[in-house]
Amino acid sequence: LKDYGVFLGIDPEDIERLDDYKIVVIEPSLFDKDQIDRLHNSGKIVYGYLNIGSLENYRSYYEDFKDLVLGKYENWEDEEWLDVSDKDWQDFISLKAAKEYADKGIDGFFIDNADVYYHYRRPDIFEGICNILANLKAYNISVIINGADSFVSECIDKDIYSGLFDAVNQESVFTRIDFDNLKYYEQDEDTRSYYLDYLNLVKSSGIRVYLLEYGADESTAEKIASYC
């Protein structure tokens, strides 16, 4: 079995695509509790995707929070950056939406778009993310934070990370996406070196590390496996 896979684009009709993986990340709004139970019964650990830092225009709650939009999300036309300092948003995403997912029996949350702090470097944005994550930790299940190196590094510097998240998922350490031409390439050396230094900091702080790579050829895949 492969250790880890992220499958945000699938629904229960494609559930067999998860067969070869031990840890899987899914969009929990598309699965019910029985379906997640079946994944558990097959020996899988199941994380549920939760977008805390941007607003997707296809979500049922888009109209409720569209006034909090901060700006365009490059390369993702159906998303916009969101003002996470808003208390109503914090309560909704961490106490209502997250509870619905936790009640389905997921093993943890896969948190996306805390990178809003990189784009809007404000103390209230930082505190908003912290408030959301603290609420999520109260469910007593694991929390993986995707990307967000600016936020994560500051949490490590302030020594507050243990109360907020358990692991970091980093995309595109060894590979990169050309969004204009929809092609995959090997990551440039400077960017890769930056991420490797950053992940050494994360790992040395006792935080678990996962990698998510795209379109790796055989040679690059071997480098990724060796690093892991």
Side-chain angles (χ1 to χ4, degrees), residues 59-117:
R59 297 287 184 182
S60 61
Y61 47 82
Y62 175 78
E63 292 294 328
D64 297 331
F65 296 102
K66 66 180 182 180
D67 291 343
L68 299 178
V69 164
L70 294 173
K72 179 182 178 182
Y73 194 140
E74 187 179 6
N75 296 320
W76 299 94
E77 294 182 357
D78 57 0
E79 294 186 49
E80 298 164 292
W81 293 112
L82 193 71
D83 185 356
V84 299
S85 69
D86 182 83
K87 182 68 163 54
D88 289 340
W89 170 254
Q90 294 172 24
D91 289 348
F92 169 79
I93 200 66
S94 63
L95 302 178
K96 185 176 185 298
K99 185 178 187 305
E100 291 178 4
Y101 296 164
D103 287 346
K104 293 183 179 185
I106 60 173
D107 299 289
F109 296 107
F110 181 93
I111 303 305
D112 203 14
N113 289 318
D115 289 296
V116 66
Y117 181 58

Side-chain angles (χ1 to χ4, degrees), residues 167-186:
V168 164
N169 179 84
Q170 184 57 56
E171 300 180 73
S172 302
V173 177
F174 291 88
T175 61
R176 64 182 176 90
I177 306 172
D178 179 349
F179 284 95
D180 292 331
N181 299 301
L182 299 179
K183 292 183 178 180
Y184 304 106
Y185 298 97
E186 189 169 354

Side-chain angles (χ1 to χ4, degrees), residues 174-204:
F174 291 88
T175 61
R176 64 182 176 90
I177 306 172
D178 179 349
F179 284 95
D180 292 331
N181 299 301
L182 299 179
K183 292 183 178 180
Y184 304 106
Y185 298 97
E186 189 169 354
Q187 185 60 275
D188 67 81
E189 185 175 348
D190 288 345
T191 301
R192 183 172 64 250
S193 294
Y194 166 78
Y195 280 133
L196 294 179
D197 288 344
Y198 162 67
L199 293 177
N200 284 337
L201 170 67
V202 172
K203 184 71 174 179
S204 66

